[in-house]
Amino acid sequence: MSTPDVINVTAQPLPDVVHDIFKPLQEPVFLQTRSAQVIAGIFVWTALFITCQQIYQHLRWYTNPSEQRWIVRILFIVPIYGCYSWISLLFFNGNSYYVYFFTVRDCYEYGGRH
């Protein structure tokens, strides 16, 4: 009787080329980084401040109601879009929660136009 041959089945390390191919897949997209969220937040809060100031001025000096009513409606789009876009950016990850925020924003856009 002969002895059976022993086969070595230990895992061999992958070459560096394979690691270089999959490296971009491991890095997060810029929209998922904290710096993108902070930059977007700064711009959203700036837009909110300026727009709320404009809305306040239109409502304080309400001299032409038929025209200013439409202007105020249009100005309200900026805070709605800004907040929903920023919130959807904060939830931009593997889950698709941001789709719900876009749906609410699009419904507001439709109602604001008509």
Side-chain angles (χ1 to χ4, degrees), residues 51 54-62 64-79 108:
T51 305
Q54 290 291 315
I55 291 171
Y56 172 73
Q57 289 177 357
H58 273 287
L59 294 177
R60 184 169 178 199
W61 292 287
Y62 205 61
N64 190 0
S66 62
E67 185 177 315
Q68 286 177 304
R69 182 178 8 176
W70 290 100
I71 293 172
V72 170
R73 284 183 185 175
I74 291 171
L75 285 174
F76 265 114
I77 292 174
V78 175
Y108 176 76

Side-chain angles (χ1 to χ4, degrees), residues 5 18 34 38 45-46 51 57 66 69 82 90 97 99-100:
D5 293 333
V18 174
R34 181 62 63 185
V38 169
W45 284 104
T46 304
T51 305
Q57 289 177 357
S66 62
R69 182 178 8 176
L90 294 177
Y97 294 121
V99 174
Y100 301 114

Side-chain angles (χ1 to χ4, degrees), residues 48 75-86 104-105 108-109:
L48 284 174
L75 285 174
F76 265 114
I77 292 174
V78 175
I80 299 295
Y81 269 29
C83 289
Y84 278 119
S85 297
W86 187 46
V104 172
R105 187 193 69 188
Y108 176 76
E109 177 186 1

Side-chain angles (χ1 to χ4, degrees), residues 92-114:
F92 185 75
N93 55 15
N95 302 331
S96 55
Y97 294 121
Y98 64 95
V99 174
Y100 301 114
F101 296 113
F102 283 142
T103 304
V104 172
R105 187 193 69 188
D106 290 341
C107 290
Y108 176 76
E109 177 186 1
Y110 176 75
R113 283 192 198 171
H114 301 304

Side-chain angles (χ1 to χ4, degrees), residues 3-12:
T3 60
D5 293 333
V6 177
I7 300 174
N8 188 2
V9 290
T10 57
Q12 301 297 323

